[in-house]
Amino acid sequence: MSDKIEKVHPTVYIVFLSLLLDLLAFTMILPLLPSLLEHYKLNDTTGLYKWLSEKIYYFQEFVGAPEKFNTVLFGGFLGSMFSFLQFLAAPIVGSISDVIGRKKVMIICLVGISLSYVLWALSNNLVIFIFARFLGGISKGNVSLSMAIIADISSMKTRGKGMALIGIAFSLGFILGPLIGAMFAMWSKQKSGNWFVVPALFALLLSVADLIFFSIFFKETLPEAKRAKSIKRNLKNSKTLISVKDLFKFTAVTGIKQAELSELRKLGMVYFVYLFIYSGLEFTLTFLTHHVFNYTSMQQGWMFFVIGLTMALMQGGYVRKIPQSKIKSTAVNGLWLIVPSFVCVGLAREAMVLYLGLFFFAVSTAMVVPCIMTMASQYGTEQQKGTVMGIFRSIGALARAIGPIFASIAFWGVGSTITYLTGAVFLFWPVLTLSRQ
């Protein structure tokens, strides 16, 4: 294969920039959540805040968490809802794009995301704000579509580089977006009334810029000759796209050999178990650093900044250059690294031990997720790449929706050390399974 063919397709960089704009807007709300919830606590006239607070209080009492963490649990509830909506939307969006093309469906997703920020700007009560998050979650099929686009235009040797660039977009988004949000959070302390309108309009500006940029510069990557022929046929058994049982069986993926389907199912289960346990640590890390190390919100912000920066450097400097023949072994090595990460974080009573665990955590994440998505993108016919990537995105979203709930119960029920050490033990299953595949 010539050097020219080896180069990454220019469209990959368009997808990268589009995702980066989207993630900057998406992540800037994270540091604002405590201030937003406090605003609705004082100003919500619908009664929804009071009702939800009672439900959160029962959960807080059940798991034994101190009352000061109610806001974190509330934020976790919104995050789980967002992830669950992605779980529902991603495979359906992917399947539709297999029939009518990536560009049309992506534009619909980006319009939905922009409208969610319009609703946020107008959310003078909690009902409208949660509806805004609902619309944003259901429109988040753009991420799995981005992965399907990478699969469309990449050769076997360049696909890993494309997936790594998606990883870099995520890392940069989660580095810069929360910093932008933190600046708005500091600014909001001097404001009264509906102060959230300004950050909401800034997020809207980013999303509209993304929509215009993508509409102008993106060229369709799935030609009509390679598309599936019927939306009705692609979606005729919609339960295969949202049923958990059918999702893990990859029932919607047809026309591939039974041996390949079996491998795809194993890879999907490896991805789910890894992200289920991983997202639990990611969510409860806020509890741990506050409870054990007395970190302030600013210290936690810098901690996540360093984690994101480490991931971006790893993906940009190492993972992006991994040859196709090393993709699987890199994923396995990354899965091995997460085990000592959990051990270090679980046993940490000194800052250096915590930092070592978080370093392993960041390096592992940078290696595992892009490599597993690259492996997944090799399965399925040209007409089903969107379906396969959508199912993987849904599996990941389901793990992120329920992982934090189980981790919170364990964290406050049996303590951080037992929770993380148990997670380390269970993480042997995905690494050993992938090693044998």
Side-chain angles (χ1 to χ4, degrees), residues 291-314:
H291 197 62
V292 178
F293 293 93
N294 297 313
Y295 273 21
T296 64
S297 296
M298 187 58 71
Q299 285 174 303
Q300 288 175 342
W302 281 112
M303 176 185 70
F304 284 113
F305 174 83
V306 173
I307 290 173
L309 184 61
T310 303
M311 288 168 56
L313 291 173
M314 273 292 298

Short mmCIF file of all heavy atoms in Angstrom, two decimals, residues 291-314:
data_model
loop_
_atom_site.label_atom_id
_atom_site.label_comp_id
_atom_site.label_asym_id
_atom_site.label_seq_id
_atom_site.Cartn_x
_atom_site.Cartn_y
_atom_site.Cartn_z
N HIS A 291 -13.87 13.37 50.48
CA HIS A 291 -14.06 12.66 51.75
C HIS A 291 -12.72 12.30 52.42
O HIS A 291 -12.56 12.44 53.63
CB HIS A 291 -14.86 11.39 51.47
CG HIS A 291 -15.49 10.77 52.68
ND1 HIS A 291 -16.43 11.41 53.45
CD2 HIS A 291 -15.30 9.56 53.26
CE1 HIS A 291 -16.81 10.62 54.44
NE2 HIS A 291 -16.14 9.50 54.35
N VAL A 292 -11.77 11.84 51.61
CA VAL A 292 -10.49 11.36 52.15
C VAL A 292 -9.42 12.45 52.14
O VAL A 292 -8.63 12.58 53.07
CB VAL A 292 -9.99 10.13 51.37
CG1 VAL A 292 -8.63 9.66 51.88
CG2 VAL A 292 -11.02 8.99 51.47
N PHE A 293 -9.41 13.27 51.07
CA PHE A 293 -8.32 14.25 50.90
C PHE A 293 -8.77 15.70 51.11
O PHE A 293 -7.96 16.62 51.00
CB PHE A 293 -7.70 14.11 49.51
CG PHE A 293 -6.97 12.81 49.31
CD1 PHE A 293 -7.61 11.71 48.75
CD2 PHE A 293 -5.64 12.66 49.71
CE1 PHE A 293 -6.94 10.51 48.56
CE2 PHE A 293 -4.97 11.47 49.53
CZ PHE A 293 -5.62 10.39 48.96
N ASN A 294 -10.07 15.90 51.38
CA ASN A 294 -10.61 17.24 51.63
C ASN A 294 -10.34 18.21 50.47
O ASN A 294 -10.03 19.38 50.68
CB ASN A 294 -10.03 17.82 52.93
CG ASN A 294 -10.43 17.00 54.14
OD1 ASN A 294 -11.60 16.65 54.29
ND2 ASN A 294 -9.47 16.68 54.99
N TYR A 295 -10.45 17.71 49.24
CA TYR A 295 -10.24 18.57 48.07
C TYR A 295 -11.37 19.57 47.94
O TYR A 295 -12.54 19.25 48.17
CB TYR A 295 -10.18 17.72 46.80
CG TYR A 295 -8.82 17.16 46.45
CD1 TYR A 295 -7.83 17.04 47.42
CD2 TYR A 295 -8.52 16.77 45.16
CE1 TYR A 295 -6.59 16.52 47.10
CE2 TYR A 295 -7.28 16.25 44.82
CZ TYR A 295 -6.32 16.13 45.81
OH TYR A 295 -5.09 15.62 45.50
N THR A 296 -11.01 20.79 47.53
CA THR A 296 -12.02 21.78 47.16
C THR A 296 -12.47 21.51 45.72
O THR A 296 -11.86 20.72 45.00
CB THR A 296 -11.45 23.20 47.24
OG1 THR A 296 -10.39 23.32 46.26
CG2 THR A 296 -10.90 23.50 48.62
N SER A 297 -13.53 22.20 45.29
CA SER A 297 -14.00 22.04 43.92
C SER A 297 -12.93 22.45 42.91
O SER A 297 -12.78 21.82 41.85
CB SER A 297 -15.27 22.89 43.70
OG SER A 297 -16.31 22.43 44.52
N MET A 298 -12.15 23.49 43.24
CA MET A 298 -11.08 23.93 42.34
C MET A 298 -9.99 22.88 42.22
O MET A 298 -9.49 22.60 41.13
CB MET A 298 -10.49 25.26 42.84
CG MET A 298 -9.49 25.88 41.88
SD MET A 298 -10.18 26.21 40.23
CE MET A 298 -11.27 27.58 40.57
N GLN A 299 -9.62 22.25 43.35
CA GLN A 299 -8.61 21.19 43.31
C GLN A 299 -9.10 19.99 42.48
O GLN A 299 -8.32 19.39 41.73
CB GLN A 299 -8.27 20.73 44.74
CG GLN A 299 -7.40 21.71 45.51
CD GLN A 299 -7.21 21.28 46.96
OE1 GLN A 299 -8.18 21.09 47.70
NE2 GLN A 299 -5.97 21.12 47.37
N GLN A 300 -10.39 19.69 42.62
CA GLN A 300 -10.95 18.60 41.81
C GLN A 300 -10.94 18.97 40.34
O GLN A 300 -10.66 18.13 39.48
CB GLN A 300 -12.37 18.29 42.28
CG GLN A 300 -12.42 17.58 43.62
CD GLN A 300 -13.83 17.36 44.12
OE1 GLN A 300 -14.76 18.01 43.66
NE2 GLN A 300 -13.99 16.46 45.07
N GLY A 301 -11.21 20.24 40.04
CA GLY A 301 -11.17 20.71 38.66
C GLY A 301 -9.79 20.54 38.05
O GLY A 301 -9.65 20.06 36.91
N TRP A 302 -8.75 20.90 38.80
CA TRP A 302 -7.38 20.73 38.32
C TRP A 302 -7.02 19.25 38.17
O TRP A 302 -6.28 18.87 37.25
CB TRP A 302 -6.40 21.43 39.24
CG TRP A 302 -6.34 22.91 39.02
CD1 TRP A 302 -6.77 23.89 39.87
CD2 TRP A 302 -5.85 23.58 37.85
NE1 TRP A 302 -6.58 25.13 39.30
CE2 TRP A 302 -6.02 24.98 38.07
CE3 TRP A 302 -5.30 23.15 36.65
CZ2 TRP A 302 -5.64 25.92 37.12
CZ3 TRP A 302 -4.92 24.11 35.70
CH2 TRP A 302 -5.10 25.46 35.95
N MET A 303 -7.55 18.42 39.06
CA MET A 303 -7.29 16.98 38.98
C MET A 303 -7.83 16.42 37.65
O MET A 303 -7.12 15.72 36.93
CB MET A 303 -7.96 16.26 40.16
CG MET A 303 -7.84 14.75 40.11
SD MET A 303 -8.78 13.99 41.48
CE MET A 303 -10.47 14.31 40.95
N PHE A 304 -9.08 16.77 37.32
CA PHE A 304 -9.66 16.29 36.06
C PHE A 304 -8.96 16.93 34.86
O PHE A 304 -8.86 16.30 33.79
CB PHE A 304 -11.16 16.57 36.04
CG PHE A 304 -11.97 15.63 36.88
CD1 PHE A 304 -12.62 16.08 38.02
CD2 PHE A 304 -12.06 14.28 36.56
CE1 PHE A 304 -13.35 15.20 38.82
CE2 PHE A 304 -12.79 13.40 37.34
CZ PHE A 304 -13.43 13.85 38.47
N PHE A 305 -8.46 18.14 35.02
CA PHE A 305 -7.70 18.79 33.95
C PHE A 305 -6.44 17.98 33.63
O PHE A 305 -6.14 17.72 32.47
CB PHE A 305 -7.32 20.22 34.38
CG PHE A 305 -6.40 20.93 33.41
CD1 PHE A 305 -6.91 21.56 32.30
CD2 PHE A 305 -5.03 20.94 33.62
CE1 PHE A 305 -6.08 22.22 31.39
CE2 PHE A 305 -4.18 21.59 32.73
CZ PHE A 305 -4.71 22.23 31.61
N VAL A 306 -5.72 17.57 34.68
CA VAL A 306 -4.48 16.81 34.48
C VAL A 306 -4.79 15.44 33.87
O VAL A 306 -4.07 14.95 32.99
CB VAL A 306 -3.71 16.67 35.81
CG1 VAL A 306 -2.52 15.72 35.64
CG2 VAL A 306 -3.23 18.04 36.29
N ILE A 307 -5.88 14.79 34.32
CA ILE A 307 -6.28 13.50 33.75
C ILE A 307 -6.56 13.66 32.25
O ILE A 307 -6.07 12.89 31.42
CB ILE A 307 -7.53 12.95 34.47
CG1 ILE A 307 -7.18 12.51 35.89
CG2 ILE A 307 -8.12 11.76 33.70
CD1 ILE A 307 -8.38 12.10 36.73
N GLY A 308 -7.33 14.70 31.89
CA GLY A 308 -7.66 14.94 30.49
C GLY A 308 -6.44 15.27 29.66
O GLY A 308 -6.30 14.80 28.52
N LEU A 309 -5.53 16.06 30.22
CA LEU A 309 -4.31 16.42 29.50
C LEU A 309 -3.44 15.20 29.24
O LEU A 309 -2.89 15.02 28.14
CB LEU A 309 -3.53 17.46 30.30
CG LEU A 309 -2.27 18.04 29.65
CD1 LEU A 309 -2.62 18.75 28.36
CD2 LEU A 309 -1.54 18.98 30.61
N THR A 310 -3.32 14.33 30.24
CA THR A 310 -2.55 13.09 30.08
C THR A 310 -3.15 12.23 28.97
O THR A 310 -2.42 11.69 28.12
CB THR A 310 -2.54 12.28 31.40
OG1 THR A 310 -2.01 13.10 32.44
CG2 THR A 310 -1.69 11.02 31.26
N MET A 311 -4.48 12.12 28.95
CA MET A 311 -5.15 11.33 27.91
C MET A 311 -4.90 11.92 26.53
O MET A 311 -4.61 11.19 25.57
CB MET A 311 -6.65 11.26 28.20
CG MET A 311 -7.02 10.38 29.38
SD MET A 311 -8.73 10.59 29.91
CE MET A 311 -9.62 10.25 28.39
N ALA A 312 -5.00 13.25 26.42
CA ALA A 312 -4.80 13.91 25.12
C ALA A 312 -3.38 13.70 24.61
O ALA A 312 -3.16 13.42 23.42
CB ALA A 312 -5.11 15.40 25.23
N LEU A 313 -2.39 13.83 25.49
CA LEU A 313 -0.99 13.63 25.10
C LEU A 313 -0.74 12.19 24.68
O LEU A 313 -0.03 11.93 23.70
CB LEU A 313 -0.06 14.02 26.26
CG LEU A 313 -0.02 15.53 26.60
CD1 LEU A 313 0.80 15.76 27.87
CD2 LEU A 313 0.56 16.32 25.43
N MET A 314 -1.32 11.24 25.42
CA MET A 314 -1.16 9.82 25.08
C MET A 314 -1.78 9.51 23.72
O MET A 314 -1.18 8.83 22.88
CB MET A 314 -1.84 8.96 26.15
CG MET A 314 -0.97 8.61 27.33
SD MET A 314 0.38 7.48 26.90
CE MET A 314 -0.54 6.05 26.34
#
